[in-house]
Amino acid sequence: MKIYRALTLTLTTLAATVLSACGGPEEHELLTYGMGTSVIIKVYADDFPAADKDALIKELRYQEAVFKKNDPADSTINYLLRDALRYQKATKGAFSPYLGALIDLWGFDSEDAAVSRKPPSDDQIRQALTQQKLNLYALAKGYTVDTLARKLERMGYKNYIVNAGGDLIAKGKKGNQPWRVDVRHPRFVHRTVGQLKVDGKLAVATSGDYQNYFVYENEWYHHLLDGRTGKPARKYQAVTVIADSVMEADAMATAIFVSNGVIDLTDKRDPAFMVTTQDYHQTMTPAFQKRFISNCPPNDPCVSRDDYAKYAEERDAKMNGTNDKK
Amino acid sequence: MLLGLLGGLTAGFGRLARGSEGTHAEVFVGNERVALLDLSRPHTYTIKGYIGAATVVVDAGKARVTQAPCSGKRCIHVGWLSRTGDASLCVPNRLMVKIAGVAENSADAIVG
């Protein structure tokens, strides 16, 4: 068996060397930052020249500028706003593109978003809800990922992944293998709950209460605000949606999350989404299930609250141990 | 000691794949990979990001950020990274530590 393994390894190495010498396709990566998160672009191609990378970064910066300016007269802003208003109607106001003042009040767009602080008062929240300040970030990141994917297509790339902090599109394959896209556990940073099948193309986004939050007096305050109450929605840990575009997945994930699942999706033919509730109960639609390979037994999110408490305790002990050494 | 190559601060996060055990940690600042740390060689590194220096400790096959100029310190709280795909990110500092290795079964991307 050892000889077989050694031979296999040698042949694999040889094959890789030959392919490389012939300039065969391989994986290339671009890491950059934008829309408040990391943006990782992977292509499987013969080459990924610097000029293409520069053009993609330029496109990313352009989109950032559009969303920073937030001009309702801009065609992109207008397009996103129309979609956002559909979700506002479908969720009876839980999802709203006009929560800019509220998000500013909570401080979730600030660089200090994670810093512990006293949450705003009910009066302050009521006041902010009366203001109609546009904020389209629930769709903007997904839209930007779609835009980068279109640019890759125009450049001639057929096999790629664009991943902006978990808002992701994957297309094609990595050589003979499919791209492998895992779904992380909303509470265990170091665990995944399963894998998504790319099947040619996958556009997916997750809204989670762990993505942008602060803790104050042991209470967890996250950025997914219900537009009716002005406060974080409390039913779910995470909502993951697969859709035709990442923008659609992004918007729908947020809308399902902030409405606590009370949403009219009758205009969606076969919605594909998975939700994990605060009590660790994981459910998914049949369309999502078709594309999901779970790490867990059916209807079992793999872990319980007790598991999580134990995990957190071990993690903290390790961290304290490290601090002691220093 | 690897001294700072660029600059930065934080609101980071960490995430991880169900990959196999990694062999090294890649450190990125901005678009550039500024360091490749061998996980089998315990050491403490200082890496300069966009807004300040971060400390990355390598010990017994794993790595973690122990100090960063980030307000939320999430890139620190994510703890030890050891499997391929594990990462700690500090956006304001534009600094990412990512575990890599010879792993056939590791994820190409993580969502969530």
Side-chain angles (χ1 to χ4, degrees):
Chain A
M1 183 58 85
K2 276 183 184 171
I3 292 171
Y4 173 75
R5 271 196 203 139
L7 185 61
T8 306
L9 185 63
T10 307
L11 287 174
T12 308
T13 309
L14 265 176
T17 308
V18 170
L19 273 176
S20 174
C22 295
E26 58 184 338
E27 188 180 322
H28 306 270
E29 187 174 295
L30 164 66
L31 168 70
T32 185
Y33 295 85
M35 308 301 288
T37 186
S38 63
V39 178
I40 299 172
I41 298 174
K42 292 184 175 186
V43 301
Y44 189 81
D46 290 340
D47 195 13
F48 193 20
D52 286 0
K53 292 178 182 173
D54 289 345
L56 288 159
I57 291 172
K58 195 175 166 191
E59 177 69 33
L60 177 61
R61 299 291 165 251
Y62 173 77
Q63 296 300 338
E64 280 187 309
V66 167
F67 293 115
K68 194 172 179 187
K69 198 171 172 194
N70 230 0
D71 178 3
D74 182 278
S75 61
T76 298
I77 297 296
N78 206 269
Y79 171 63
L80 266 65
L81 180 57
R82 282 201 305 273
D83 203 48
L85 291 172
R86 277 200 292 274
Y87 280 104
Q88 186 176 31
K89 191 177 170 193
T91 60
K92 293 188 164 58
F95 180 100
S96 170
Y98 295 113
L99 298 182
L102 187 70
I103 291 164
D104 291 346
L105 174 67
W106 279 91
F108 287 122
D109 267 355
S110 119
E111 287 200 348
D112 292 332
V115 176
S116 180
R117 57 194 177 275
K118 193 176 177 184
S121 68
D122 288 352
D123 279 347
Q124 287 174 306
I125 289 171
R126 268 194 295 274
Q127 169 72 20
L129 281 171
T130 62
Q131 299 176 44
Q132 295 280 294
K133 186 179 171 189
L134 192 63
N135 184 308
L136 291 166
Y137 272 87
L139 300 85
K141 198 166 66 166
Y143 176 83
T144 301
V145 171
D146 290 330
T147 305
L148 293 171
R150 281 195 292 274
K151 193 149 190 86
L152 282 165
E153 292 278 345
R154 285 198 296 276
M155 290 169 170
Y157 295 102
K158 300 294 177 204
N159 303 291
Y160 57 81
I161 287 181
V162 182
N163 184 3
D167 279 19
L168 172 144
I169 187 163
K171 188 103 183 276
K173 289 184 167 187
K174 186 171 71 173
N176 296 324
Q177 311 167 42
W179 292 108
R180 178 171 165 171
V181 179
D182 283 2
V183 182
R184 68 161 281 187
H185 193 286
R187 287 292 177 269
F188 289 68
V189 174
H190 289 198
R191 286 190 193 175
T192 58
V193 294
Q195 190 182 336
L196 292 169
K197 297 176 195 168
V198 173
D199 285 344
K201 177 190 162 188
L202 172 73
V204 62
T206 296
S207 287
D209 66 1
Y210 51 88
Q211 292 164 333
N212 185 359
Y213 67 92
F214 65 89
V215 178
Y216 179 75
E217 292 184 347
N218 295 321
E219 188 74 28
W220 188 310
Y221 297 92
H222 63 78
H223 71 299
L224 294 159
L225 304 170
D226 182 334
R228 297 164 300 193
T229 64
K231 295 179 181 176
R234 292 296 187 192
K235 183 173 180 179
Y236 300 124
Q237 293 177 353
V239 176
T240 299
V241 174
I242 298 171
D244 290 337
S245 69
V246 186
M247 182 185 93
E248 198 60 30
D250 206 1
M252 203 193 300
T254 305
I256 293 170
F257 195 110
V258 297
S259 66
N260 294 320
V262 183
I263 179 170
D264 178 4
L265 292 173
T266 47
D267 63 330
K268 308 288 174 198
R269 200 158 45 87
D270 200 7
F273 62 89
M274 174 173 75
V275 299
T276 307
T277 60
Q278 291 296 337
D279 58 359
Y280 295 83
H281 189 64
Q282 184 191 75
T283 52
M284 62 191 85
T285 62
F288 192 94
Q289 200 157 18
K290 277 183 196 163
R291 302 195 64 171
F292 185 63
I293 305 162
S294 179
N295 291 342
C296 318
N299 301 317
D300 179 351
C302 290
V303 293
S304 67
R305 194 179 295 271
D306 289 343
D307 289 335
Y308 179 67
K310 191 178 169 197
Y311 156 81
E313 197 178 308
E314 286 171 2
R315 178 197 61 195
D316 293 346
K318 275 184 193 171
M319 288 173 63
N320 291 336
T322 304
N323 291 339
D324 289 343
K325 275 182 202 170
K326 284 180 70 84
Chain B
M1 176 70 76
L2 189 151
L3 274 180
L5 303 158
L6 279 176
L9 175 60
T10 219
F13 65 88
R15 56 186 44 195
L16 151 147
R18 265 238 160 121
S20 56
E21 292 298 324
T23 56
H24 50 275
E26 295 175 291
V27 183
F28 296 86
V29 174
N31 303 329
E32 302 296 324
R33 188 174 79 178
V34 297
L36 187 63
L37 315 178
D38 184 345
L39 294 183
S40 66
R41 298 180 61 194
H43 205 80
T44 299
Y45 301 86
T46 302
I47 313 280
K48 234 173 140 186
Y50 276 48
I51 59 167
T55 305
V56 180
V57 173
V58 172
D59 186 21
K62 54 194 190 299
R64 66 167 297 204
V65 177
T66 59
Q67 185 277 324
C70 328
S71 49
K73 309 291 182 197
R74 286 189 205 163
C75 57
I76 296 173
H77 293 200
V78 79
W80 288 106
L81 313 167
S82 64
R83 291 178 171 269
T84 54
D86 285 6
S88 168
L89 169 68
C90 169
V91 173
N93 212 12
R94 298 196 169 198
L95 193 149
M96 177 189 271
V97 179
K98 193 169 102 175
I99 302 298
V102 189
E104 284 182 14
N105 209 22
S106 62
D108 296 301
I110 309 288
V111 298

